[in-house]
Amino acid sequence: MLTRVFKSRKPRNLLLLFEILALFLLFLLNNQHIDRYIVILFFGLISVIYISNFILGKISSGDNYIFLIVSMLLTIGIVTIYRLNPDTGLRQLVWALVGILVFYITYFAMRGIRKIENWAPFYFVVALLLCLVTLLFGVERGGARNWIQITNDILFQPTEFTKLAVVFLMASYYAKYQYMISRPIAYKALLPLGAAYLLIGFLFIQKDLGTAAIFFCIFSGIQFIYEEDRKIILLNIGLMLLGALAGYFLFNHIRVRLDIWLNPWDPDKIYNSSAQIVQSLFAIAEGGFFGTGIGLGNPKLVPVGISDFIFPVICEEMGIFAGIGIIMLYLLLAYRAMKIAMAQPVLFYRILAIGMAILFAVQCFLNIGGVIKLIPMTGLTLPFVSYGGSSMLSSFIALGVLQVTSEDLSYKYEGYDEFKRK
């Protein structure tokens, strides 16, 4: 039976083979920590991923590749985290299973609920409330006050979900809400600008610069495509430059991050503030093209190696070719998302697909660019790969939204032509 499965050469069968080989390698390395529970959990995940890909091919008329791409990233992330810390790896595995469940809930909810393009005020209120709750009750971790502590062991990062609310807000405004306002174009164009910069302002106060950059990129990308008043785009760029300068002079942590980026090898910083980036560069260099092999490197020397700095850990033990492979997977995901957007005739869902493409592409760029010293570090996770429940759930929600946008949604509208491409 297995021979027949692999001979069919379908992508999901090749993915199954990759996952079985990866787990076999991992169990060979950590054979002293394996029990029946761990084996059942891991093979349960493989089965869920395989069955999910199979079911999705039957129930969805849309893109059948984005879930496969994410499955690959998910497997690489879990294998790496389990290799570093088996207990954390098991927690990530559970989050992955919950994430797949959330993906299907999002998928069926988005397909079933109608007229969600009319909810612009609701999306804004949700984003604003999440920012306010974080500002009032948040705790500081890793230099940013962007966590809500529920118990000693359970923390929740609301900004991961605020990003999705911002995408929905912009899609709803440009697809529907702007036509409901009977005011001059210039006045209307200032509304999304004001909303976006209000939310970005909250993130600056919370020192969450990475998420602020994502908000700005999502807003600017959608605005550049759909804003009728082009002068507002120039105003946005001017405000961005002004905000960057103000942030540099007002907030010490921004100056510190810029200084670390420019002078990581300074003897006064190399063992303190710039230790993360220095160890990251050493790990990537140590791995070379093909890596030292799983279990043969020293990835525990890289601070936050299971989360923000997981990319150099992968490069050290699997090689820079594996790192390039991960980048290629994210490029493929962003490419598929843009292709979905171009094929989607309903404006609201087309903008959603563009927003999700920008979200995945920018977050990947900010994370990998930061750990290879291409840009200053931002403290963002690598979607589907880094450890983190909030990141995993929000990424799967975004994937569920993208899956829906890849389908024919004409059944939702009676006057279908009204929503078609203009």
Side-chain angles (χ1 to χ4, degrees), residues 200 212-223 358 362 366:
I200 290 172
I214 290 179
F215 276 28
F216 176 78
C217 291
I218 291 171
F219 169 66
S220 300
I222 295 173
Q223 184 200 42
I358 295 172
V362 170
L366 291 177

Side-chain angles (χ1 to χ4, degrees), residues 95-107:
W95 279 121
L97 289 169
V98 176
I100 292 171
L101 177 65
V102 168
F103 165 81
Y104 276 106
I105 292 172
T106 307
Y107 173 75

